[in-house]
Amino acid sequence: MNFSKSGWISLSVATVASLTLGVEAASAQLSATGMSCNVANLTGTTDCEGIFSGNDSNTITTETSLFGKTGWTELFKVDNSSGTTGPLTVKLNEAREETSGTWELSEDFNFDSYESVMFVLKGGNSFTSYLSDGETMAGDWNTNDALKGNGRRGAGLSHFTVWTTGTGNDNDEPTPTPVPEPAALLGLGSVALASRFLRRKSDEV
């Protein structure tokens, strides 16, 4: 079987495209550990999904569906058990214990800028996602939804990430006020002039 150079190029492009789509599809699929999460482990949230194996930063894509939504984008990440990145600050309750602490978003962060916000806590070789209630700016966290290498809960926090999807109400552009066309302005001027002329005639009678 003979292939022309253009045939090989077409085949190569198709192969690369197929492999790319395959990788994206695989990335969009989260690997469940079979263990459930508890929304009480992160205050200011209304739902949770997980526990998943792996790392959210290289697993979640815009195609990943979480809480019935896709298009998730990583916004801020404290890539440690404590620290500050952008408006997000994460602290530990005990310096030597990386399993519980507090989190806070500064006033620079506006929930209304996004359709939905979720927090992801990663520890060990696992992570859990929590859906924000869209108003709480600070709270407590623990890693009871993070698995150690032996499969037990309570791994130390590796990172705390803020993910968002969509745009909120404050991104809605105001409806522009229509500007009258020149012809319309001329017509209005003529009506006003005629009305004034008739009023003057009426006064003279």
Side-chain angles (χ1 to χ4, degrees), residues 6-201:
S6 60
W8 279 112
I9 293 175
S10 299
L11 180 61
S12 299
V13 171
T15 302
V16 171
S18 177
L19 290 173
T20 301
L21 291 174
V23 170
E24 290 180 350
S27 298
Q29 298 298 319
L30 302 180
S31 178
T33 62
M35 300 185 72
S36 61
C37 59
N38 188 341
V39 70
N41 292 328
L42 183 62
T43 56
T45 59
T46 60
D47 197 4
C48 67
E49 289 194 19
I51 304 168
F52 302 111
S53 62
N55 186 332
D56 59 300
S57 293
N58 55 30
T59 302
I60 297 176
T61 72
T62 55
E63 302 300 319
T64 303
S65 177
L66 285 164
F67 308 108
K69 301 178 184 296
T70 57
W72 293 102
T73 301
E74 184 177 298
L75 194 62
F76 301 107
K77 177 170 69 174
V78 172
D79 202 10
N80 208 325
S81 57
S82 62
T84 298
T85 300
L88 174 64
T89 296
V90 179
K91 296 181 179 179
L92 297 173
N93 286 335
E94 298 290 340
R96 296 183 179 181
E97 294 290 335
E98 299 180 331
T99 56
S100 65
T102 61
W103 64 272
E104 182 178 5
L105 290 169
S106 68
E107 295 180 354
D108 295 335
F109 186 82
N110 185 4
F111 282 109
D112 291 336
S113 297
Y114 311 98
E115 178 186 352
S116 296
V117 176
M118 75 172 176
F119 305 124
V120 172
L121 272 62
K122 180 189 180 300
N125 190 36
S126 65
F127 67 91
T128 297
S129 55
Y130 303 85
L131 184 64
S132 168
D133 62 12
E135 58 183 19
T136 302
M137 299 291 286
D140 300 318
W141 61 267
N142 67 62
T143 58
N144 288 342
D145 291 333
L147 305 181
K148 301 177 181 179
N150 58 12
R152 294 183 179 180
R153 296 173 182 267
L157 182 68
S158 298
H159 64 239
F160 189 123
T161 312
V162 178
W163 292 77
T164 63
T165 185
T167 55
N169 296 329
D170 73 336
N171 287 322
D172 293 340
E173 296 183 1
T175 303
T177 303
V179 178
E181 295 291 333
L185 290 174
L186 182 60
L188 290 173
S190 299
V191 171
L193 185 61
S195 176
R196 184 176 179 183
F197 176 76
L198 291 174
R199 190 182 304 112
R200 180 179 298 176
K201 283 293 186 181

